[in-house]
Amino acid sequence: DVYNYLQITTRRYLVNQPIDCEEQEDLQPTVKLYQRSIGTIYDAYIHEIGAPEMYADLFYVLDTAGEDDIIKLTINSPGGRLDSSLQLYNAIQSANCPVVANVVGLACSGGSIVMLACNEWNVMKNARIMVHAASGGVVGKSHEIQASVEFDKKWDAQVFSDIYKGFLTDKEITEVLAGRDIWLTGEETSVRLQNFIAYKDKEFKKQMKGWKK
């Protein structure tokens, strides 16, 4: 049963949320109140990335988790299927709660895609991260093969840039699409993640500025 490869455990915890004292007319400004609610911590383990149906429960959690919840993904993955990796990426990006990547071993290929989808990271010093272009094949009539190859070239460039820009340099992205494998230690990855955060923050501010106009 493929579903045995992914188990999600849950833990409950108390969340203290501050209440703005300006809304409490009968309280002194120095008084700080908190309202308590119960959140859930979801723990899941990502190893070799298989068929999308293996992650049905995780997709459900990512779609329904609330702002007080936390999803922790322990990643030790050599990679796997690209379609599943991208579906995990999209689901994580759409989640309404923090999604934390704990990289404890490998985050290679599709595993690095899942890692970069998260918004918090704990990367072990002896972890190994590898980025490379997707592999696959095409069969069919000659014109079908040519059309598929031309489309994949454009699609790869766009998707790769969307995921890795800010973590890799533009030059590195071009080199990876041309066939280079990039290997990183946990320490090197932690430094790059700081650059990645700064890049995402900058892009977000640019979007906000555009919306205000």
Side-chain angles (χ1 to χ4, degrees):
D1 187 347
V2 294
Y3 291 93
N4 290 333
Y5 287 104
L6 179 67
Q7 295 182 347
I8 301 174
T9 59
T10 62
R11 292 174 282 155
R12 308 291 278 178
Y13 78 109
L14 285 174
V15 181
N16 290 326
Q17 296 179 323
I19 301 175
D20 191 346
C21 289
E22 293 180 0
E23 299 177 0
Q24 311 294 321
E25 296 179 357
D26 57 335
L27 294 177
Q28 296 294 326
T30 55
V31 176
K32 203 161 193 176
L33 286 184
Y34 291 87
Q35 60 184 1
R36 306 188 87 181
S37 61
I38 297 178
T40 302
I41 299 175
Y42 298 91
D43 295 284
Y45 185 89
I46 303 294
H47 183 46
E48 185 168 356
I49 300 173
E53 59 266 24
M54 290 176 57
Y55 306 97
D57 289 343
L58 180 55
F59 290 140
Y60 176 79
V61 169
L62 287 164
D63 184 53
T64 60
E67 293 180 356
D68 292 336
D69 299 327
I70 300 173
I71 299 173
K72 294 186 176 182
L73 302 180
T74 298
I75 300 175
N76 189 1
S77 174
R81 286 181 52 161
L82 178 60
D83 57 346
S84 299
S85 300
L86 291 176
Q87 189 172 352
L88 284 165
Y89 179 91
N90 293 332
I92 293 168
Q93 289 276 288
S94 299
N96 293 317
C97 67
V99 183
V100 183
N102 295 314
V103 184
V104 298
L106 297 174
C108 299
S109 189
S112 70
I113 292 175
V114 175
M115 177 189 75
L116 290 179
C118 300
N119 43 48
E120 295 182 28
W121 301 270
N122 297 308
V123 182
M124 298 297 103
K125 182 178 179 180
N126 57 2
R128 292 190 295 170
I129 288 76
M130 189 271 284
V131 180
H132 67 178
S135 59
V138 182
V139 295
K141 302 182 180 69
S142 59
H143 68 279
E144 295 171 338
I145 294 174
Q146 182 178 355
S148 179
V149 169
E150 291 174 354
F151 172 80
D152 284 346
K153 186 176 181 180
K154 293 186 293 184
W155 183 86
D156 286 348
Q158 181 60 60
V159 172
F160 211 86
S161 178
D162 289 343
I163 294 171
Y164 290 101
K165 191 173 180 63
F167 183 76
L168 299 180
T169 66
D170 291 342
K171 180 182 178 182
E172 288 172 332
I173 290 174
T174 300
E175 291 173 346
V176 169
L177 289 171
R180 177 187 173 189
D181 293 353
I182 293 181
W183 286 89
L184 302 168
T185 66
E187 287 184 308
E188 291 170 333
T189 299
S190 295
V191 172
R192 285 176 179 256
L193 284 171
Q194 295 300 318
N195 297 333
F196 188 63
I197 292 170
Y199 169 76
K200 291 294 185 181
D201 286 345
K202 183 178 179 181
E203 289 299 300
F204 178 75
K205 290 176 181 177
K206 284 170 61 177
Q207 288 182 347
M208 291 296 292
K209 187 176 180 181
W211 289 338
K212 289 179 180 178
K213 292 180 180 179

